[in-house]
């Protein structure tokens, strides 16, 4: 997974949360933001590893 892929996933997830706040119908199967679970988990793991690295590098 590339940094651009991770950014894309995080942007999709952020928009998902924003839509939920505004009254999403939660019909995820029909949503244009839906991504494969494996991609979302991989992106979260990537971000967490970067953040952990930053925490221990300082």
């Amino acid at each position: 997974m590339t940094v651009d892929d991770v950014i894309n996933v995080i942007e999709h997830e952020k928009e998902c949360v924003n839509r939920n706040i505004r009254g999403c119908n939660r019909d995820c199967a029909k949503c244009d933001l839906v991504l494969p679970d494996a991609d979302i988990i991989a992106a979260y793991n990537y971000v967490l590893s970067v953040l952990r690295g930053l925490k221990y590098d300082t």
Side-chain angles (χ1 to χ4, degrees):
M1 178 165 272
T2 68
V3 172
D4 287 335
D5 293 332
V6 172
I7 291 169
N8 184 56
V9 169
I10 299 302
E11 286 178 343
H12 272 76
E13 291 295 287
K14 180 181 172 185
E15 180 57 23
C16 175
V17 172
N18 282 327
R19 287 184 187 181
N20 183 51
I21 291 167
R22 295 188 307 260
C24 174
N25 67 6
R26 293 184 181 248
D27 190 0
C28 300
K30 295 180 182 176
C31 183
D32 62 312
L33 296 175
V34 72
L35 296 170
D37 293 344
D39 290 354
I40 296 168
I41 296 299
Y44 285 159
N45 286 337
Y46 187 101
V47 170
L48 287 169
S49 70
V50 168
L51 292 173
R52 286 184 183 112
L54 289 172
K55 178 180 177 183
Y56 297 116
D57 284 346
T58 59

